[in-house]
Amino acid sequence: MTTLERPTPLPTMTDKIARIDAICDQARILPVITIAREADILPLADALAAGGIRTLEVTLRSEHGLKAIKVLREQRPQLCIGAGTVLDRAQFEAVEAAGAQFVVTPGVTREILQAGVESDIPLLPGISTPSEIMMGYALGYRRFKLFPAEISGGIAAIKAYAGPFADVRFCPTGGVRPDNLLSYMGLPNVMCVGGTWMLDSGWIKNGDWAAVEKCSAEAMALLEG
């Protein structure tokens, strides 16, 4: 095999950790989006972006998830689009093919962790226990989503994890709201938070994109202090 025929090597786990850091540090708030209607894809993304939220986690919780990822990657290249609620290797491969720039899972299996090791794009695996952190840690993961954050110990748990897992950082998701946002973001081992409070179902159902934009802008303003 000549040099030209050799496959491009996969990014190292260190490279992918750096990419997750860049994505999450820039995002700070990662909206967890479930698309109920195909017609909502672009106006919802535009409303979030107008409010200052330009990194989006589009979940596979509806039939429109994969389509939304494809559409946004094609038509809104200025946004950073990730895939959420990825449950197995087949879904991982599907969102990768759709153009997702990162992947988020609600939990971990050996299969999904290995898929992340073997992929070009970074994986942010979901955990809720120290044992799950250790499972990912053994494969080189150092960045995790804590889910569901409040039920899994919230701020107190993240503080406790800083002891045995000093080089690990988290994206807490599940129960994060404007009234506890700053408490989470004030922790040194939190890189961003995930949330849905700017995605009120009534606003989206009624096409009230101005309300989505306003809520997003208010959330980002909280972080500006």
Side-chain angles (χ1 to χ4, degrees), residues 87-165:
L87 303 179
D88 55 33
R89 183 181 285 271
Q91 288 188 337
F92 195 115
E93 292 172 353
V95 299
E96 191 172 22
Q101 291 162 284
F102 62 96
V103 173
V104 186
T105 67
V108 292
T109 62
R110 181 77 184 193
E111 177 193 48
I112 203 77
L113 290 172
Q114 191 60 42
V117 170
E118 296 169 3
S119 174
D120 285 327
I121 59 176
L123 167 64
L124 186 65
I127 60 89
S128 61
T129 68
S131 296
E132 291 168 326
I133 296 174
M134 290 173 67
M135 187 190 306
Y137 200 97
L139 292 175
Y141 290 91
R142 298 294 184 271
R143 304 294 181 261
F144 299 92
K145 165 178 149 176
L146 177 64
F147 177 80
E150 286 286 279
I151 295 173
S152 303
I155 290 166
I158 294 171
K159 287 180 178 179
Y161 290 150
F165 306 112

Side-chain angles (χ1 to χ4, degrees), residues 42-53 208-214 216-217:
L42 292 176
L44 177 55
D46 290 343
L48 290 165
I53 296 179
D208 191 352
W209 309 121
V212 174
E213 177 183 344
K214 180 175 183 290
S216 300

Side-chain angles (χ1 to χ4, degrees), residues 25-96:
D25 288 342
Q26 181 176 5
R28 296 185 292 171
I29 297 175
L30 192 61
V32 182
I33 302 168
T34 300
I35 298 293
R37 300 176 302 198
E38 188 174 326
D40 294 336
I41 295 171
L42 292 176
L44 177 55
D46 290 343
L48 290 165
I53 296 179
R54 299 180 178 88
T55 301
L56 314 181
E57 177 190 334
V58 179
T59 73
L60 299 189
R61 298 179 190 179
S62 82
E63 61 181 314
H64 304 296
L66 274 177
K67 176 67 175 291
I69 292 167
K70 292 177 183 177
V71 167
L72 291 170
R73 289 290 288 126
E74 291 169 0
Q75 300 191 36
R76 297 296 185 270
Q78 72 274 21
L79 303 180
C80 181
I81 307 300
T85 319
V86 175
L87 303 179
D88 55 33
R89 183 181 285 271
Q91 288 188 337
F92 195 115
E93 292 172 353
V95 299
E96 191 172 22

Side-chain angles (χ1 to χ4, degrees), residues 178-191:
D179 63 342
N180 61 17
L181 171 63
L182 292 181
S183 296
Y184 273 108
M185 288 298 292
L187 299 176
N189 54 344
V190 167
M191 53 189 173

